[in-house]
Amino acid sequence: MVRQQTLRLKLPTTTLSIAAVALVAYAWPACSDVLVYERQAILAGDLWRLGTAVFVHFSGSHLLWDLLVFCAAGWVIEARDYSG
């Protein structure tokens, strides 16, 4: 007997959460100023900029293409439940 798999559509909450942070950073320029990679600020102690610079986009086109690829890949990874 052939075992049937059911297709379950799971919302990629992690991917969408990260995409939302990027959208907020783009829509709120003051937020982008705090997140952007600035070498002098990092050397002065703003170490969070090492991990948050990926959320900063300086044009709508840059944001669109990054989110398109990131959300597609993230959706596949979360749908297949790759946890490693």
Side-chain angles (χ1 to χ4, degrees), residues 18-33:
I18 293 170
V21 172
L23 286 169
V24 168
Y26 180 73
W28 187 14
C31 182
S32 290
D33 291 341

Side-chain angles (χ1 to χ4, degrees), residues 67-82:
L67 286 182
L68 181 69
V69 172
F70 176 77
C71 288
W75 193 306
V76 169
I77 290 168
E78 287 192 61
R80 294 189 179 179
D81 197 25
Y82 293 136

Side-chain angles (χ1 to χ4, degrees), residues 33-50 53:
D33 291 341
V34 175
L35 301 178
V36 72
Y37 184 95
E38 273 187 44
R39 186 171 187 265
Q40 293 303 321
I42 293 168
L43 293 174
D46 295 352
L47 297 179
W48 68 83
R49 292 175 186 263
L50 292 170

